[in-house]
Amino acid sequence: MYRKRDLSLVFDEQGRTFDQTLARLVKSGVMKRVAHGVYIFSLSSHINGETIKHIARNLRRGEITYESLESALSQYGVISQILIDRITLMTTGKSGEYQTPYGVIEFTHTKVNAGEIRANLLDHEDRVLPIASKHYAYVNLLSTGRNLEMVDKEELYGEN
């Protein structure tokens, strides 16, 4: 996964020269544009179910970004809806929605301070992005005014 500006440094090119190089790589199928300013090496053996999270991390580089809302609550079994082609993320960066070949990435901005956010995240080595704790994902859902009808309160407050 590469940001356009990272590729510019690797190729040691800028401006029109670099844009033409990148266009040739995309046209030949070597590189694939997966989101605004984000490219992937098409022949990579690392393209998998986590690719969408790598794209998201690159789109909000430098911001706190974590899996939450419906994506997290679905993983915890608190909602029965299983998100197949979409990931819902909270970020200290801008809100926005991105259509990618690997699914839709939905960013929701939070103004919460970094200390509170980090205290409520679970970060595992095998995860590309940290995930909100079960209760914090619910707090995020409440704060965004999203649909609460699908929440299984027994599962939310049960022992897990």
Side-chain angles (χ1 to χ4, degrees), residues 53-160:
K53 295 175 186 176
H54 285 284
I55 296 168
R57 188 175 64 191
N58 276 280
L59 286 168
R60 291 295 180 271
R61 193 182 293 174
E63 303 291 347
I64 298 172
T65 301
Y66 58 97
E67 204 167 349
S68 190
L69 306 166
E70 295 88 355
S71 288
L73 293 172
S74 176
Q75 290 180 51
Y76 291 125
V78 173
I79 62 174
S80 59
Q81 177 183 3
I82 298 173
L83 304 178
I84 296 172
D85 65 344
R86 171 177 293 268
I87 185 169
T88 55
L89 306 170
M90 295 295 290
T91 183
T92 56
K94 290 180 5 180
S95 291
E97 189 172 286
Y98 294 83
Q99 305 281 335
T100 79
Y102 306 96
V104 176
I105 301 169
E106 181 183 347
F107 292 105
T108 301
H109 175 74
T110 181
K111 293 180 182 178
V112 174
N113 72 62
E116 179 182 325
I117 293 170
R118 288 192 179 102
N120 288 287
L121 298 183
L122 306 173
D123 201 1
H124 301 286
E125 272 182 34
D126 59 335
R127 296 189 68 89
V128 175
L129 294 170
I131 188 169
S133 68
K134 183 189 329 183
H135 294 287
Y136 199 60
Y138 181 68
V139 167
N140 289 161
L141 195 72
L142 284 170
S143 72
T144 59
R146 294 166 88 103
N147 184 355
L148 301 175
E149 291 179 23
M150 63 182 123
V151 174
D152 179 339
K153 297 287 174 86
E154 279 185 38
E155 199 62 45
L156 178 64
Y157 296 112
E159 295 294 317
N160 287 10

